[in-house]
Every structure is written in structure tokens, then in C-alpha cells.
Amino acid sequence: MLRLGRREFGPHEPVIMAIVNRTPDSFYDQGATFRDEPALARVEQAVAEGAAIVDIGGVKAGPGEEVTAEEEARRTVGFVAEVRRRFPDVIISVDTWRAEVGEAVCEAGADLLNDAWGGVDPALAEVAARYGVGLVCTHAGGVQPRTRPHRVTYGDVMDDILEVTLGLAERAVSLGVPRESVLIDPGHDFGKNTRHSLEATRRLDEMVATGWPVLVSLSNKDFVGETLDRPVKERLLGTLATTAVSAWLGAQVYRVHEVAETRQVLEMVASIAGHRAPAVARRGLA
């Protein structure tokens, strides 16, 4: 059972996490949701389309202008509070690696801390434990936040992913984070080249077999772009194909830009796998 905020999810229940960037320079939308009203409209649309979680980020993942902890908090804390007020049942996640920002957003009502940089600030897990919120434990290959990998190598990329994420997850639980609120993430593109990310996808069932719920953040990423040689705005089909494979292999949470399209893919895979009945079943029965 996965428990986040007020919600519980069964082992075969896919969960969509919608991305809400509070940055002026995000790689995907170049700041379309930097201001409050467009960002709130994005939350409303995502929830209407089937997202159970909204993931709010105040710093883009890639290199760029420096964003201090104070500025990151300014972009996220008040917004978290307003989302909590307007959407009391939505699960609020915040994408941050900084403990001080994590503390502030938990005070404002966040339910989940999405640590995409693999525990670079060990105190973030302590914050999650203190507030009883969930934590995403990600493999980032040991790279520093907002840096790109350069000639990174692994003896076995999945062995490294498992060692890091399971270590982070067990540490989180030992600190007091509820076990049912901890997720592991292979960290596509983070500390990895395209072949590493493809192998991580191909072997995702090895993460699922650990028993921890697996989150994947695939949406329009560079490994999809390089695999198909497509720019950011032409990566949806590749993203959805990767989503279908990940769903078949047992991933549970999907961090995405396109909620409605992802929901259809997840529902189709769940029905093929026998975990969901067809929405309509008239053919051959009339």
C-alpha cells in the first residue's frame, strides 16, 4: 500500500504526478507557469484530467542562473499554501533537494518531498521524517545539483541504482519517514547517458521486485529525444511508449507534463494486464 497525503493506492493502481514548474526558464514550457494564476490553472486542469499528485518545483534541473534557497522558497512556499487551500484533496509534492526549503513547504502543507538529486542534502530526509510526509529517493549518479553528467560510467547501472535508492529508502525509514510513503526513482537522465536510461527502463522490473513503489520521471526527457532524434516539443510519442513499457514492468507513479495522454496509456496497459476492466464492453454482446 502506498500512502501519500490523504490518499492510499493499491499495488496495481497507477498514479499520475503532474509537473508544475514555478521557474522562468524550465526546459519544457519556458516559464509558462511561473506566475501564480497560470500555475493554479495548470493545477486545476491536471486534477481534472486525472492527476492525483502535483509536483511543484522552484528550480529547473539543468544548469542556469543561480537560484538561492530563499528565492526557491519564494517561488514555492506561498504557492503550496494556496494549492492546499484550493485543492484540499490533491497530494502536493515539492521537487527540492534543500532541507530548508523542504521545511518551509511542509509547514505550508506539502505531502511529499521529491528529492531528485539523490540525497545530496541528507537533512531533507530528516525533514520528511519530522513532518511525517513522503519522500522520493532518487538515483542521480552522485552528480551535484544542476550539473550534467560527463562521461559517467557504471559497472552495472541497475546494480548502482538499486544500491543507492534502497540505501536512501532504508535510511529514510530509520529516521522515521513512514515506510508506506517512501518511493524509489531510477532517475532517468540524472547522472546517466541515454544508454543508461534505456537500460534502467528495460530493467525496471528489478526495482519493482524490491517491494518499494517505483516512480518514473520520463516526460520529454533528453534520453527520449536522443533515442528518436527529436526536439523537446516532439517527444510525446516516445515518452508515452516508455510510459507503457514502464507500466507493464510495474512502475506505479508517473511524473508527467501531459496528464490526459498518460492516463489513457496507463489505463490501457492496466486493462491488458488484467488489473482494470474496460470502461465499456459491448462488442459481441449486443
Side-chain angles (χ1 to χ4, degrees):
M1 182 68 69
L2 173 63
R3 182 177 293 114
L4 299 170
R6 301 180 180 182
R7 300 282 302 276
E8 291 184 351
F9 303 94
H12 297 298
E13 186 174 358
V15 183
I16 297 176
M17 169 190 274
I19 299 166
V20 183
N21 291 316
R22 302 309 317 282
T23 61
D25 53 356
S26 58
F27 90 100
Y28 180 74
D29 59 23
Q30 293 80 50
T33 53
F34 184 47
R35 292 186 299 108
D36 286 353
E37 287 310 314
L40 288 166
R42 161 67 175 160
V43 173
E44 184 173 16
Q45 178 186 13
V47 171
E49 290 179 346
I53 308 171
V54 292
D55 189 47
I56 299 163
V59 186
K60 79 169 186 175
E65 182 179 340
E66 180 185 1
V67 180
T68 65
E70 293 74 17
E71 174 60 18
E72 183 184 358
R74 189 190 70 77
R75 295 176 179 183
T76 56
V77 175
F79 186 72
V80 167
E82 184 62 15
V83 173
R84 179 82 295 147
R85 186 183 73 81
R86 296 196 190 191
F87 305 92
D89 295 325
V90 76
I91 300 162
I92 300 176
S93 170
V94 176
D95 180 354
T96 186
W97 74 89
R98 291 167 165 149
E100 59 265 50
V101 176
E103 183 106 29
V105 297
C106 285
E107 284 285 346
D111 303 300
L112 176 65
L113 297 175
N114 181 13
D115 182 10
W117 291 102
V120 69
D121 184 349
L124 187 64
E126 298 169 14
V127 171
R130 191 157 57 250
Y131 284 88
V133 303
L135 183 69
V136 180
C137 299
T138 307
H139 180 274
V143 300
Q144 288 300 302
R146 307 195 66 196
T147 61
R148 299 195 189 282
H150 179 67
R151 299 190 182 279
V152 62
T153 60
Y154 298 97
D156 184 305
V157 67
M158 183 51 74
D159 281 355
D160 204 85
I161 289 170
L162 289 171
E163 180 180 0
V164 170
T165 57
L166 297 184
L168 291 170
E170 291 294 351
R171 175 179 181 267
V173 172
S174 73
L175 290 170
V177 180
R179 179 174 286 272
E180 64 274 16
S181 302
V182 176
L183 303 99
I184 58 174
D185 177 356
H188 289 81
D189 276 359
F190 281 63
K192 300 170 188 67
N193 61 31
T194 289
R195 288 184 174 84
H196 293 142
S197 292
L198 291 170
E199 182 171 352
T201 307
R202 188 163 57 247
R203 297 173 61 185
L204 204 63
D205 57 339
E206 295 177 43
M207 296 188 74
V208 173
T210 68
W212 296 98
V214 175
L215 180 152
V216 287
S217 183
L218 312 168
S219 192
N220 301 289
K221 283 196 166 178
D222 284 347
F223 83 96
V224 175
E226 288 194 354
T227 299
L228 300 177
D229 193 18
R230 291 290 185 270
V232 170
K233 293 299 184 180
E234 296 178 18
R235 297 176 184 176
L236 176 58
L237 291 178
T239 297
L240 295 178
T242 313
T243 298
V245 170
S246 299
W248 187 257
L249 293 176
Q252 185 165 16
V253 181
Y254 300 81
R255 182 178 181 271
V256 303
H257 296 98
E258 293 92 358
V259 174
E261 294 87 342
T262 301
R263 181 178 179 179
Q264 288 190 46
V265 168
L266 295 177
E267 288 180 347
M268 193 69 200
V269 173
S271 295
I272 294 169
H275 304 314
R276 172 187 178 273
V280 178
R282 292 189 291 262
R283 182 174 174 79
L285 301 176

